[in-house]
Amino acid sequence: MRSFGWLHFTDLHQGLDAQGWLWPGVREVLLADLEKLHARCGPWDLVLFSGDLTQRGSAAEFARLNQTLQQLWDHLRALGSTPALVAVPGNHDLIRPDPRRPESLVLGRWDTYPEVQVEFWRDASSPYRALVDQAFAPYSEWLKNHPFAGLQLQRGMLPGDCSAVLAKDGLKLGIVGLNSAFLQLGDGDYTGKLALDVRQLHAACGGDGPAWVKECDFALLMTHHPPNWLQAKARDELVAEIAPPGRFVAHVYGHMHEHASSVVAIGGAQGRRELQGSSLFGLEVYGGKVDRRHGYTAARITVDDKNEATLRLWPRAAKSTPPATGASSRTSTPSSSATTRARGPSRCRRRAGARPPRRRRRSTRPT
């Protein structure tokens, strides 16, 4: 029996104002739950972090992030796991540029300037690419120097685009991370306004994305945003060129602050699996009410003696308990949702394709 195990974290928002006094309690619940779950599905080889590691993308927040992650890694090491970290940036992992800058104004109307799109993707020295590089500079510096790597990263076209391969027991698991946040440079609702391009995939994979994936027994795609935050053209390119059915075991992402999973199959084709992670530290205020969400997911691909692959998920969610009169609010121990299983074909070089249960996504729209 051979396997790969990982943890999916997303949306920590290191530096969020209320985090200073709320995170210690959440951390204690998280560490205790990791200990319980490690006995069931550990050890873990990877931590996948799908963006919004910080709140404002500053160097100071990334320095504090390393301290937070070090506590987590020390705990995982004590449990018997020494995972490598693979991350992508989210829309909070950048220094927002002056919205009055000409480059900001043009990128904010991306779909109306096709000639700018051509320049952006073709010319690494264009002022638009320079703006994106500058916005993500603290993230790029953190990515280069953080102590949790463990795997060699192939850097891609945009800040945070990357690929890595985990080799274990004669199998290879590939991870491709793409920056989906490079157009979300300001405030507002960006649903349906963002972009991905197949050239990001190729650049992150040494020039040929499909060939790179074929060298792996399994592969995962990771972005910060779900597909419905992309423009229609970019969604089509995602499905047709970046992640067509069967290329990746799953598309892993965050941003929405809650768990969800789905498999979509069109016209009898192999399904595309999407795995949305819950925020590690989600805190939203709606109409004066505070909505706190804390969770993560453990996952494992197992290949049995018949070369049959199984994907299992352990989504975890902490529930905020309303305080009784005179009592303080507390957070209960996370409990697992129904475990999702997906059995693949007998040949492990083909990605798992069976359908896990669908979960309805709520309309919450983090910024």
Side-chain angles (χ1 to χ4, degrees), residues 9 15 18 50 63-64 84 112 155 210 222 269 273 310 330 340 357 365:
F9 293 138
S50 58
R64 184 68 186 91
T112 64
R155 303 299 173 85
M222 179 167 59
R273 180 177 293 107
T310 303
R330 66 184 180 89
T340 301
R365 292 185 175 180

Side-chain angles (χ1 to χ4, degrees), residues 102-225:
E103 298 87 357
S104 299
L105 293 170
V106 172
L107 289 179
R109 301 180 63 186
W110 174 267
D111 59 335
T112 64
Y113 292 106
E115 66 278 10
V116 170
Q117 298 177 34
V118 171
E119 178 182 349
F120 184 89
W121 296 117
R122 287 185 178 177
D123 185 2
S125 64
S126 78
Y128 310 105
R129 288 277 289 276
L131 178 69
V132 171
D133 290 343
Q134 181 182 6
F136 286 95
Y139 175 87
S140 297
E141 187 68 16
W142 169 81
L143 186 66
K144 182 172 64 175
N145 296 312
H146 75 72
F148 313 104
L151 294 177
Q152 183 175 353
L153 287 184
Q154 169 79 43
R155 303 299 173 85
M157 180 177 289
L158 300 184
D161 288 352
C162 65
S163 68
V165 176
L166 172 64
K168 179 184 175 185
D169 298 332
L171 296 174
K172 292 182 179 180
L173 173 64
I175 306 98
V176 177
L178 301 181
N179 184 340
S180 63
F182 67 92
L183 290 181
Q184 193 168 353
L185 302 176
D187 294 322
D189 183 4
Y190 282 79
T191 309
K193 299 179 181 179
L194 303 181
L196 283 174
D197 192 277
V198 70
R199 283 166 284 196
Q200 291 177 260
L201 171 68
H202 293 321
C205 296
D208 190 332
W212 185 92
V213 171
K214 286 181 180 178
E215 290 297 315
C216 302
D217 298 284
F218 307 94
L220 299 168
L221 173 66
M222 179 167 59
T223 64
H224 177 62
H225 294 90

